Amino acid sequence: EEMARLGDAVLTSVFDGDLAVALERAAAFSRVVGAGRLALADDADEHGDDLEAARQTRLASGNVKLSDQLTLAARLWRAGTLR
């Protein structure tokens, strides 16, 4: 719950800076969330909860994909080619 509040504060605050930096920060946040989901998947797997393990793994994959896309967007912004 505390992490969710922190994420909301980071992602919804007024932005007044380099968009590439903001995109990279969002990418890092998403990657951390994905790592946490993988840890939850491991815990669920250890407790025999295959459905929850699969769900957390799927969600982690989405977080990593989002992180990769945000990182690419930052690179494109710096190159002046983000559309």
Side-chain angles (χ1 to χ4, degrees):
E1 189 173 307
E2 184 177 333
M3 192 66 165
R5 283 194 305 272
L6 174 62
D8 287 345
V10 168
L11 298 175
T12 61
S13 63
V14 174
F15 177 71
D16 186 24
D18 183 356
L19 179 60
V21 171
L23 291 168
E24 289 168 341
R25 287 180 181 173
F29 182 80
S30 185
R31 194 167 296 279
V32 167
V33 170
R37 290 195 180 279
L38 285 178
L40 290 173
D42 287 344
D43 288 346
D45 190 47
E46 287 176 11
H47 290 94
D49 190 346
D50 294 340
L51 289 176
E52 183 63 11
R55 185 177 86 86
Q56 291 296 338
T57 300
R58 179 178 43 80
L59 291 170
S61 176
N63 287 117
V64 170
K65 287 177 187 175
L66 175 60
S67 178
D68 291 344
Q69 291 170 345
L70 289 167
T71 300
L72 175 60
R75 191 175 318 124
L76 293 173
W77 177 259
R78 282 195 173 102
T81 58
L82 181 64
R83 296 176 190 237

